[in-house]
Amino acid sequence: MSDESAIAAAVRPAVTGEEPWLVLPPALAIPPGAGVICDEGGARRIGRGAAEGAFTTAPVLVAHASLTARRLGLAPPPRSADLLDVLELFAFVRPARFCAPSPTGLALALGMSEPRGAEAQAVALRHAADALLRELADPAYPRREDAITLNETLSKAGWGWSWRVSGALQHQPMRARQYRGSGLDVWSRMAEWEDEAPRGEAGSAPVDSESARIRLEKLLQASGLDETRPTQSDYAAEAAYAFSPRNEEGRPRMLLAEAGTGTGKTLGYLAPASLWAERNQGAAWVSTYTRALQRQIDRESAALWPDPAERKRKAVVRKGRENYLCLLNLQDMVQAAQLGNGDLIGMALAARWSLYSRDGDMTGGDYPGWLPGLFAIGSGHQASAANLVDRRGECVHAACPHYRLCFVEKTIRASRRADLVVANHALVMTQAAFDGARSARGLKQDGETAALKRIVFDEGHHLFDAADSAFSACLSGQEAAELRRWIRGPEGRGRRGRGLEQRLGDLCADNEAAQKALNDAVRAAAQLPGEGVSGRIAPASGEVNPIGPIETFLLAALEQLRARAGDGHGSGGTEFGLECALRPVTEPVLEAARAAARALANVEAPLLALSRHLEDVLDDEAADLDGSQRARIEGALRGLDRRARMTLPGWRSMLAALDEGSDEADPDFVDWLTAEAAFGRIHDVALRRHWIDPTVPLEAAVIMPAHGVLVTSATLSDPLTVAEDGDPFDMARMRTGAARLIEPARTLKVESPFDYAAHSRVIVVNDLVKDDARQTAAAMRELFLAAGGGGLGLFTAIRRLKAVYERLGPDLAREGLPLYAQHVDPLEVGALVDVFRAEQDSCLLGTDAVRDGVDVPGRSLRILAFDRVPWPRPDLLHRARRGRFGGQGAQGRAYDDALARARIAQAFGRLIRRGDDKGVFVMLDAATPTRLFAGLPPGTEVLRMGLAEAVETVAGFLAMPGSPPAA
């Protein structure tokens, strides 16, 4: 059926009988080019002026009001009764259900076919609203009473959809009620978590290769797949090694397994992992780098446990505390909004979501991340993760009235009973380091990673970078201000938070020494930076006014930065801020560092004393403490340990190193100064310390204590950086910590089953000037048009991305191809990728976050263009590592080559995700060495040609069967 006949079939009267709530205003879609409006008479194109008028004055339906406004060249609009965003209606009708934030996304979420073309999108938008209202009117719609109650609150708040929602909900007979609440107190309708007996230590029953093959076959059958691919079966059999018992402490079974795209590595390692969990009554942990892969693994676990209720018990997605909705934050923001200080509609929709959410995950879970950005709402009032999760150590643990409802506590407890815990690298590493430190002091582990004995590190090529972040230290204005807030509570701010006195005052009241330690800590924390530190050390006026020794140190560091950046001791610019080597240190920095170290010691000492007192209370008063008091103390001890035994000693160690009278740095670390900038303004200054080799703490904290570790990825080996014995995993061993293991790690390389020679092309365009944004934009335009859309443009710098977007957007718009861009569109990366995946002919521009998070099988991604070679940025830290791991001269260049080669291979792997995919990989940097493509799968051939020939090649290669070639 053609687009025209599909549109004609879709257009039907929206009013049936006596249903005024189904009378809908026109739908406005603003795809590239002119707008399209659809009413009862059908869809028609309108000019920009008419589209702007409809958007700003007439009752109209839209999908994502802020994005629509940006396409019209307007500022994000406030909510109004005339501007009805169908995405908000979707969030109400189908809470915690997925929807890409566009007309196409709405259509697909509601089971409609993809609307191709502008007119079809406008029609689909109108019928999406109609379908959602009819869904509310269905007698089988669940929890109708809750929906009616909340909608009455939304009506009082002025929600434009409210009277239509009310008509739909009350289309069926309802019980008359004299009084209804606000519907906002969702915590009163949530189930509490319950404690269970400890599970105990996991056993050591092995998983043999043949059992893994058999389990894999069953998983494939459960997934509807008829046959096992030999390479996938071999992968599962070899992966069983990581689930065999170790013979000696400190000698884990470690396997480095490269599985080419299409191998099916997820089910390949889930087969032995699930067997091990069943046989040993323990949890196998799978750790990923991106949220997208966490979701994917969770979905694939349905092959193990098809029943959703069983899967919820058996498989738990685990993230850091800062990812989950805090009910106390929600309650405080709801109450503020009810008093007129906030976005009551947004908070009501977030509250409704929380009742349906699987686990309260607001960042990559089932919360619609696009919801807070639909309308112009101040950042401090949005129903966003930034406001509703525990980001700044605010959690009061058992002192919280919602403690037994807490999503974080539920997830932690579920992970202790699960067979499969799907976590991320950052959580695994930071929690393992924390648990290790507690164990070394003879204390019990925190429980979240106490059973971290069998680990699968998927996306293992990111392990080095994740360890680098997890085991680093940073003394900055913002970090120090957060510590002050944790100790003293919010000072002159409306945001919720409680200092130590509010949390622990009653527990210390009967002990004079403990009360003194608490008071001393609160008093000493006044020397830490408060809110607005950047305005005092780097004001726009230039009149600095540092308060306290830490701010004085940061000001002196900024002066050294300004003096040194760009003279060989440093680097930086407006895009990345400033950085310089710490040594040789200036006298003002040295003097300020001494005072800052004393101030930090004055904070650390009473915190340690307070911690020791609380430990004594747990010991001496064990028989008298109730469960709530014990939980409060244990929660406080975790926070005190992190800060008094990890953060503060780390900061003091960096400062103390300056006072040792030597310009020689510690050979294991890189210490340097940075200033972060945005829009030409410095907003933070920091002293940083990173391990030159972060796999040293990774090995000690995570790998050595484990029994079995599987590190897997599509890109682990490197054919051009091999050891003397010809091992292509030499770089992988170094970047995962495997090189230092007593028991050598095994390696496995499984080739992709895809026919890359037939299904892909690799082109280097050799007649462009790479630093000319106009030429880059023109090249991407012609290539994306030749492909008919489905283009992903990757950039190594945000500045170049924006410059190309400004030129590329109008050109694609004239041809009807939507263009989205990271750092430009008011959508977070995950939502952008969702839209790109849903709209087969759209194009997307992004940086590293897009490259790592894209999983777009099918035609939605058919051409990928890099603006230039993704060389590692030559900052101070990279230069130190290149010297350590690569050496000087040609060896150092080989290290850089290996990193760039891995990034190119990873990007190429995004292109072909299924056996029937076809795609073209284009490098717009003529100087790209051929050796950087050595990591691509066998069968790929690199072609060098001019832009005109490349466009012709793309058009011919990607032409759909039976369709004429692109113009």
Side-chain angles (χ1 to χ4, degrees), residues 381-658:
H381 299 305
Q382 291 180 349
S384 63
N387 293 318
L388 293 175
V389 303
D390 170 31
R391 284 195 178 277
R392 299 176 179 269
E394 297 169 329
C395 183
V396 294
H397 300 281
C400 176
H402 307 307
Y403 179 64
R404 297 194 65 84
L405 306 170
C406 177
F407 286 114
V408 177
E409 296 296 331
K410 287 179 180 178
T411 306
I412 291 173
R413 282 160 177 77
S415 70
R416 293 171 180 168
R417 308 291 302 177
D419 283 4
L420 180 69
V421 180
V422 185
N424 55 69
H425 298 348
L427 173 69
V428 167
M429 292 177 195
T430 56
Q431 191 62 38
F434 178 65
D435 280 349
R438 288 177 66 85
S439 295
R441 296 175 49 237
L443 301 175
K444 72 172 184 178
Q445 293 186 351
D446 197 26
E448 293 183 57
T449 56
L452 195 61
K453 304 303 180 187
R454 306 286 174 172
I455 318 169
V456 177
F457 284 112
D458 204 336
E459 299 180 299
H461 59 283
H462 282 301
L463 209 53
F464 187 93
D465 293 331
D468 180 42
S469 177
F471 298 109
S472 62
C474 172
L475 170 56
S476 71
Q478 292 182 5
E479 292 288 331
E482 289 192 12
L483 177 59
R484 173 180 174 137
R485 188 182 305 108
W486 183 81
I487 296 173
R488 294 175 63 89
E491 299 169 287
R493 295 291 297 269
R495 183 169 168 80
R496 180 192 66 81
R498 298 183 184 181
L500 288 180
E501 193 168 7
Q502 288 79 17
R503 302 180 198 183
L504 304 175
D506 59 324
L507 296 175
C508 300
D510 296 333
N511 186 293
E512 183 177 346
Q515 187 64 52
K516 181 180 185 301
L518 178 59
N519 294 339
D520 288 347
V522 172
R523 184 166 50 253
Q527 296 297 300
L528 298 172
E531 297 291 343
V533 55
S534 63
R536 292 188 293 275
I537 65 174
S541 65
E543 297 180 4
V544 298
N545 181 34
I547 300 176
I550 309 300
E551 292 188 17
T552 301
F553 168 75
L554 295 175
L555 175 59
L558 180 57
E559 294 296 335
Q560 178 170 324
L561 270 164
R562 287 170 168 159
R564 300 273 177 82
D567 69 348
H569 292 284
S571 63
T574 55
E575 185 168 1
F576 299 109
L578 302 171
E579 69 169 25
C580 78
L582 183 59
R583 296 175 177 82
V585 64
T586 65
E587 191 62 31
V589 170
L590 181 59
E591 291 181 3
R594 293 167 180 155
R598 289 193 294 271
L600 294 177
N602 290 338
V603 176
E604 181 182 332
L607 290 181
L608 289 172
L610 183 59
S611 178
R612 288 191 291 269
H613 164 69
L614 293 178
E615 290 170 356
D616 291 341
V617 170
L618 283 179
D619 187 22
D620 298 340
E621 303 178 21
D624 300 324
L625 292 174
D626 60 31
S628 175
Q629 289 175 317
R630 177 174 293 277
R632 284 178 61 192
I633 294 173
E634 289 176 345
L637 281 173
R638 286 194 292 270
L640 286 166
D641 278 354
R642 288 185 186 276
R643 292 161 178 85
R645 291 191 166 93
M646 297 177 73
T647 299
L648 281 164
W651 289 353
R652 288 199 305 106
S653 176
M654 288 191 291
L655 294 170
L658 295 177

